[in-house]
Amino acid sequence: MEFSHVRAVDEAVADALVGETDRQRNTLSMIASENHASRAVIEAQGSTLTNKYAEGYPGERYYAGCAYADAVEELAIERARELWGAEHVNVQPHSGSQANMAVYLAMLDPGDRILSLELEHGGHLSHGHPANFAGQLYEVEQYRVDPETGYLDYENLADIADEFDPDAIVSGFSAYPRQVDWERIDAVADAVDAYHIADIAHITGLVAAGVHPSPVGIADFVTGSTHKTIRAGRGGIIMCDAEHADAIDNAVFPGVQGGPLMHNIAGKAVGFGEALEPVFTEYAERVVANARALGGTLADHGLSLVSGGTDTHLVLVDLRDSHPDLSGGDAEAALEQTGIVLNANTVPGETRSPFDPSGIRAGTAALTTRGFDEDAMREVGDLIVRILDAPDDDAIIEAVADRVDELCAAHPLYD
Ligand code: DSN
């Protein structure tokens, strides 16, 4: 990745692009929402389709010259239907948040009621946080995980639903390490006559590969992003039954978006094609095995994992028991000095602030793409603990950084 065309006209941007590529090569990307897309996906996203306006849908565009845009979007839709088994797919949302926005716009009126998981318990801003459009346009009530176990408390959800009488229940989460029982949430939604919207942004790849149960065909709407565990082009997706197809398509365009980002849709098509290969199932299985190996190592060193472990690609560590004087923000900063890149995260029962919370969240999707196996993940877990135990010790920081360099060199990226 030379970026020679950029460099010919813009040294500053070329420097930043080379710098970012080198940063990804030379650090361990453990942010649970990130992955390393293939060169093919990146090439498609950087293609001439960035120039094309194609408002509308394949065969029904508002502009001429859409033959190739149609071809790419049809491929993305067809492959997504095969991956997730949905009757109807819309691949135009620019992001997971805009996918959620379109579903709300399609099915709810302003002032309607949404019941969703609280952000600090693993929910997402677009599920109704007051700082987000969803919290401003709709009346929002929130459910929580069981503070003792860290697992979803389905009975508590049913009680709140009974009392609140929501128009929609949102399931699917950003920092929840356990399998979700979609049927159970759907039964709660049915009992109060609410739509069930399952946001699988984080686990799209795990669901496609069958290593996490699928909400498709259970929830009324399934939303997600397309660049996390599924490792396709950046953006969002909506899946639903055929009966809601027109409402969803009209809500995406012209409801909340104009021209679709056709270059990103090309990246989705390419990435979905890659995910249809049998090797992707092995990848998804390794992502989960690696997360379990990482979590097991951290727990063996005495760290508290929310829910005690993981069934997915991520582990959520509550630092308050093992490292009461270390905030998640300080842990994130200390680890970044060594090239281990993850994020500070709120934990259930948070006692610090969202800007400097009590936990850290780590995911294994990107390292698994680089070929890390369970032994390597256990070593990464050991390195993380060495830093958490001595975040200000320069000698340890240097030793861990050296080992991170060796691990990166042993798992080359974008050669
Ligand atoms: N920002 C993403 C995450 O890190 O979970 C979700 O949108």
Side-chain angles (χ1 to χ4, degrees):
M1 293 195 184
E2 300 295 319
F3 304 106
S4 54
H5 291 91
V6 180
R7 187 163 299 287
V9 297
D10 193 328
E11 287 279 341
V13 171
D15 284 349
L17 296 177
V18 169
E20 173 59 16
T21 307
D22 286 344
R23 185 194 70 76
Q24 292 186 26
R25 286 182 176 130
N26 300 326
T27 59
L28 302 183
S29 171
M30 300 188 74
I31 291 176
S33 44
E34 294 182 1
N35 208 331
H36 298 297
S38 70
R39 296 287 293 260
V41 167
I42 290 172
E43 191 172 83
Q45 289 187 150
S47 68
T48 50
L49 272 172
T50 192
N51 300 330
K52 188 70 197 105
Y53 264 111
E55 274 103 326
Y57 291 97
E60 302 173 313
R61 304 286 190 185
Y62 288 85
Y63 290 89
C66 288
Y68 298 107
D70 280 6
V72 157
E73 187 165 346
E74 277 164 358
L75 283 167
I77 290 169
E78 195 180 296
R79 291 172 184 175
R81 290 181 65 195
E82 197 174 338
L83 277 172
W84 289 285
E87 281 182 13
H88 180 71
V89 175
N90 187 307
V91 295
Q92 291 194 4
H94 300 335
S95 71
S97 288
Q98 284 186 270
N100 289 336
M101 190 180 210
V103 176
Y104 302 153
L105 181 73
M107 309 316 295
L108 304 177
D109 292 318
D112 276 358
R113 297 175 170 190
I114 293 177
L115 176 57
S116 58
L117 188 70
E118 200 171 295
L119 187 63
E120 77 177 34
H121 285 233
H124 189 257
L125 285 167
S126 65
H127 297 177
H129 191 276
N132 184 268
F133 72 90
Q136 292 166 19
L137 289 181
Y138 305 103
E139 189 182 337
V140 177
E141 180 59 79
Q142 305 222 279
Y143 57 99
R144 290 164 195 86
V145 299
D146 181 320
E148 296 303 316
T149 65
Y151 278 73
L152 284 169
D153 184 343
Y154 296 96
E155 280 170 23
N156 176 256
L157 167 62
D159 290 344
I160 298 176
D162 237 9
E163 200 169 311
F164 182 59
D165 192 20
D167 299 289
I169 295 180
V170 182
S171 64
F173 315 107
S174 289
Y176 183 68
R178 292 299 185 178
Q179 279 196 2
V180 182
D181 188 339
W182 308 113
E183 272 110 347
R184 218 160 153 194
I185 297 177
D186 204 60
V188 174
D190 278 351
V192 295
D193 200 20
Y195 292 114
H196 177 191
I197 304 165
D199 178 349
I200 61 166
H202 268 255
I203 56 170
T204 41
L206 308 186
V207 168
V211 302
H212 187 293
S214 175
V216 175
I218 297 171
D220 298 293
F221 304 94
V222 177
T223 60
S225 47
T226 48
H227 48 277
K228 296 183 173 116
T229 49
I230 191 67
R231 210 172 49 186
R234 191 163 189 124
I237 188 167
I238 303 173
M239 297 175 254
C240 61
D241 287 345
E243 63 172 312
H244 297 304
D246 287 346
I248 288 299
D249 288 353
N250 289 331
V252 174
F253 170 81
V256 299
Q257 293 183 177
L261 306 180
M262 289 312 310
H263 52 306
N264 280 0
I265 292 174
K268 292 176 194 183
V270 173
F272 294 166
E274 292 172 350
L276 282 167
E277 297 295 325
V279 73
F280 187 82
T281 303
E282 286 167 35
Y283 162 73
E285 286 166 354
R286 280 202 306 276
V287 167
V288 176
N290 281 347
R292 289 204 169 114
L294 174 68
T297 303
L298 299 177
D300 288 346
H301 283 288
L303 270 67
S304 294
L305 304 188
V306 173
S307 84
T310 183
D311 302 322
T312 65
H313 62 303
L314 70 84
V315 295
L316 184 59
V317 180
D318 186 338
L319 292 167
R320 289 175 297 187
D321 291 335
S322 58
H323 298 80
D325 298 326
L326 186 66
S327 70
D330 289 342
E332 175 190 299
L335 287 163
E336 189 175 4
Q337 289 182 75
T338 71
I340 297 174
V341 183
L342 45 65
N343 68 288
N345 214 92
T346 52
V347 291
E350 182 58 65
T351 43
R352 290 181 183 265
S353 93
F355 300 105
D356 191 13
S358 304
I360 50 174
R361 185 187 68 163
T364 54
L367 292 190
T368 307
T369 293
R370 290 183 80 157
F372 279 65
D373 62 12
E374 288 161 83
D375 284 343
M377 286 311 308
R378 278 188 273 272
E379 181 175 1
V380 171
D382 288 337
L383 296 176
I384 289 173
V385 174
R386 284 184 73 189
I387 294 300
L388 297 181
D389 287 348
D392 300 316
D393 186 319
D394 289 339
I396 291 181
I397 289 170
E398 197 180 325
V400 170
D402 287 348
R403 186 59 192 143
V404 166
D405 285 345
E406 288 168 4
L407 285 169
C408 289
H411 300 87
L413 181 68
Y414 300 133
D415 262 355

